[in-house]
């Protein structure tokens, strides 16, 4: 006889442009789960620093200000939202200025503690379960997640995807920026980008987005089915 567990927590990590957001949103929508984009939270705090005259490269100043902004994430996968001090931040957090500084801000331990606490409380409050995507979800934020996925793809595939998204941005320059951001995220001391030992690695280089979504949905359903 088979039964189905009530709630499931899925952690999806990986480098930039591997398809974490697209996959996580679609999987959550298909399975009726909540969705959390943790990169958006780090972008939001970075945007607040830039908007409030805090130098993102001054780790002490960033640490002192880390508790100030009120960051609220909406977890409906069909309409994810993010506000900072009540302002809609969805657009401003995607600017090149924020992208260029987010790795510096997210490396500051006080920022990570603040955002990790927020992520854990959102995951704990998600009624039917949640898909949480980022860089350290399986290793640090939710080490007891029911399923951990680590998405990868070649830098060339990721750059081609991103430059398509950015309407023809130079692929070589896009690749350079992706690789540099991954290197910074992987080499920071506190909670770096890393694959959890018990994560399932999915190389998406040769897969369509639909194939990746199907693969992850299958893995979640397998986990949910309890013998
Ligand atoms: N398997 C795939 N095949 C082709 N394109 C894809 C695939 N997966 C994602 N994409 C496209 O690649 C781009 C980047 O995907 P997405 O934003 O989901 O990646 P990400 O890992 O969340 O990136 P980041 O960490 O930088 O936020 C999007 O335009 C998305 O539609
Ligand atoms: N769990 C996470 C998620 C993200 N970051 C930092 O945020 C940056 C932006 O992430 P995107 O997914 O929106 O590209 C990322 O480069 C990391 O610096 C993080 O540290 N931990």
């Amino acid at each position: 006889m088979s039964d189905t567990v009530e709630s499931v927590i899925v952690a999806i990590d990986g480098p930039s442009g591997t398809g974490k957001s697209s996959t996580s949103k679609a999987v959550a929508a298909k399975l009726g789960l909540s969705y959390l984009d943790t990169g958006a939270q780090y972008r939001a705090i970075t945007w607040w620093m830039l908007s409030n005259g805090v130098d993102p490269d001054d780790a002490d100043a960033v640490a002192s200000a880390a508790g100030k902004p009120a960051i609220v994430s909406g977890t409906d996968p069909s309409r994810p939202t993010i506000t900072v001090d009540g302002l809609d931040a969805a657009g401003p957090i995607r600017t090149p200025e924020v992208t260029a500084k987010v790795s510096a801000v997210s490396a500051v331990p006080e920022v990570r503690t603040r955002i990790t606490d927020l992520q854990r409380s959102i995951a704990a409050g998600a009624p039917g379960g949640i898909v949480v995507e980022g860089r350290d979800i399986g290793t640090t934020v939710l080490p007891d997640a029911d399923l951990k996925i680590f998405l990868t793809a070649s830098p060339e595939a990721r750059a081609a995807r991103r430059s398509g998204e950015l309407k023809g941005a130079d692929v070589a320059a896009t690749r350079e920026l992706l690789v540099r951001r991954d290197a910074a995220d992987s080499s920071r001391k506190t909670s770096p980008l890393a694959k959890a030992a018990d994560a399932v690695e999915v190389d998406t280089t040769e897969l369509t987005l639909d194939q990746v979504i199907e693969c992850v949905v299958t893995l979640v359903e397998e986990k949910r089915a309890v013998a």
Side-chain angles (χ1 to χ4, degrees):
M1 200 176 100
S2 86
D3 196 358
T4 302
V5 289
E6 283 295 307
S7 177
V8 67
I9 295 200
V10 182
I12 302 192
D13 291 300
S16 307
T18 49
K20 299 181 299 297
S21 300
S22 322
T23 304
S24 301
K25 264 187 277 192
V27 168
K30 273 184 186 236
L31 298 176
L33 304 175
S34 297
Y35 159 71
L36 180 62
D37 176 356
T38 64
Q41 298 175 317
Y42 286 103
R43 288 172 177 275
I45 200 163
T46 302
W47 177 58
W48 186 93
M49 299 290 166
L50 289 167
S51 308
N52 286 274
V54 179
D55 177 359
D57 295 314
D58 180 342
D60 290 339
V62 170
S64 300
K68 293 185 180 172
I71 296 170
V72 178
S73 298
T75 58
D76 177 348
S78 66
R79 200 181 137 271
T81 55
I82 181 130
T83 63
V84 181
D85 294 341
L87 298 173
D88 180 3
I93 64 169
R94 304 289 164 193
T95 60
E97 291 73 22
V98 170
T99 303
K101 292 298 175 189
V102 66
S103 292
V105 171
S106 68
V108 174
E110 288 78 0
V111 168
R112 298 211 73 80
T113 301
R114 164 100 206 279
I115 300 292
T116 297
D117 287 349
L118 186 58
Q119 292 161 356
R120 287 181 178 148
S121 75
I122 292 169
I130 190 164
V131 182
V132 183
E133 54 117 339
R135 303 293 191 288
D136 63 337
I137 310 305
T139 52
T140 302
V141 179
L142 301 168
D144 297 326
D146 299 294
L147 176 66
K148 300 178 187 178
I149 308 279
F150 194 78
L151 295 184
T152 63
S154 70
E156 290 70 29
R158 296 189 281 130
R161 292 172 188 173
R162 272 272 174 257
S163 53
E165 199 178 48
L166 301 173
K167 308 225 173 2
D170 180 70
V171 180
T174 306
R175 181 188 186 285
E176 184 56 34
L177 290 174
L178 285 175
V179 168
R180 208 182 304 161
R181 187 146 61 94
D182 291 342
D185 292 340
S186 304
S187 62
R188 68 176 172 238
K189 281 207 180 92
T190 310
S191 206
L193 159 65
K195 176 178 176 282
D198 53 349
V200 179
E201 183 165 334
V202 180
D203 183 345
T204 72
T205 308
E206 302 291 340
L207 301 178
T208 65
L209 179 56
D210 282 347
Q211 287 172 322
V212 181
I213 294 164
E214 197 183 316
C215 167
V216 176
V217 166
T218 303
L219 290 168
V220 177
E221 281 172 342
E222 283 171 5
K223 277 284 169 189
R224 272 179 142 178
V226 177

